[in-house]
Amino acid sequence: MQEKGLLIVLSGPSGVGKGTVRKEIFSQPDTAFEYSISMTTRSPREGEVDGVDYFFKSREEFEALIEQDKLLEYAEFVGNYYGTPVDYVRETLEQGKDVFLEIEVQGARQVREKFPDGLFIFLVPPSLSELKNRIVTRGTETEDVINNRMTVAKEEIEMMNLYDYVVENDQIERACDRIKSIVVAEHCRRERVEPRYIKMLEVD
Ligand SMILES: Nc1ncnc2c1ncn2[C@@H]1O[C@H](COP(=O)(O)OP(=O)(O)OP(=O)(O)O)[C@@H](O)[C@H]1O
Ligand SMILES: Nc1nc2c(ncn2[C@@H]2O[C@H](COP(=O)(O)O)[C@@H](O)[C@H]2O)c(=O)[nH]1
């Protein structure tokens, strides 16, 4: 029987579709992962809700969390801090539930050091021009920020060989299916029962 949950890390360059794919996965009723809501100093985008999309913090508040060792990982990404609350992740894994992080690559590297047995998945775009097209079409960043994110994206894509799996986000549904299949396969490989199947085993 499963003792601890699996830590699943989804990373990849800005604009590849990590948030879109994650939201689609979590909208599906058979998804049994727990999403770890990140902290950020970035301002909320239109429609974003504190405690749902992110915990929005001031720089002072965020730096206090760093001082208090409350973050599993954190990174400064294009001028803002982003970080993962450590207590939530550890407590949820201890309960035997899978935890899903959607984070950029500097943070994923830090998580790999602390959780070498985590499952690290890198999402890639079909091409760099499609990546730019997606950031531009999203319409949430200024031209300067888009150019910065594209420069960082090229460096990030070079890191893909540090991951366990690379998944192309050509179509949202297909990328979600691939990620969910990888998780099922990894549970089997690690001889752990995936949380959504545990109930089935409890039936006499
Ligand atoms: N497979 C896809 N095909 C076409 N467009 C997509 C696909 N996946 C996501 N998109 C679009 O690309 C844009 C960027 O997606 P999203 O915000 O999810 O990326 P992200 O990787 O989370 O970005 P960031 O790292 O900047 O937060 C959105 O407008 C989204 O609708
Ligand atoms: N290292 C971390 N990166 C994170 C975290 N939460 C989100 N992110 C990543 O930051 C960028 C920018 O996000 P955006 O919402 O401003 O577009 C993106 O790659 C996110 O995946 C985190 O806790 N730690």
Side-chain angles (χ1 to χ4, degrees), residues 62-194:
F62 198 101
E63 282 166 0
L65 292 167
I66 298 172
E67 283 293 306
Q68 294 158 17
D69 220 8
K70 292 281 185 195
L71 300 174
L72 172 62
E73 61 71 35
Y74 71 93
E76 195 155 9
F77 180 81
V78 195
N80 286 300
Y81 281 127
Y82 296 82
T84 301
V86 67
D87 291 347
Y88 174 80
V89 172
R90 291 203 186 276
E91 285 162 17
T92 311
L93 290 174
E94 282 302 324
Q95 291 165 17
K97 296 176 185 165
D98 291 351
V99 176
F100 189 99
L101 308 184
E102 181 226 308
I103 61 179
E104 53 70 63
V105 299
Q106 304 171 63
R109 271 178 100 152
Q110 296 167 43
V111 179
R112 177 66 108 179
E113 279 166 27
K114 293 179 182 166
F115 283 86
D117 292 340
L119 173 57
F120 291 77
I121 303 173
F122 193 86
L123 203 59
V124 280
S127 65
L128 273 182
S129 58
E130 171 61 11
L131 181 69
K132 182 157 189 187
N133 180 39
R134 287 183 190 176
I135 310 184
V136 171
T137 308
R138 186 171 69 188
T140 51
E141 266 73 38
T142 60
E143 203 180 327
D144 275 358
V145 173
I146 290 172
N147 290 334
N148 280 339
R149 285 188 180 221
M150 281 304 295
T151 306
V152 175
K154 289 175 197 161
E155 295 160 14
E156 288 173 330
I157 289 171
E158 285 174 20
M159 305 283 184
M160 75 165 85
N161 59 349
L162 302 176
Y163 288 73
D164 301 311
Y165 293 90
V166 174
V167 168
E168 184 173 326
N169 180 20
D170 46 1
Q171 289 175 25
I172 297 163
E173 288 288 333
R174 270 165 57 170
C176 294
D177 288 349
R178 287 172 186 143
I179 291 168
K180 291 179 80 166
S181 299
I182 289 169
V183 175
V184 172
E186 282 292 318
H187 270 286
C188 291
R189 198 177 68 79
R190 294 162 191 236
E191 296 185 340
R192 285 175 167 177
V193 182
E194 205 193 343

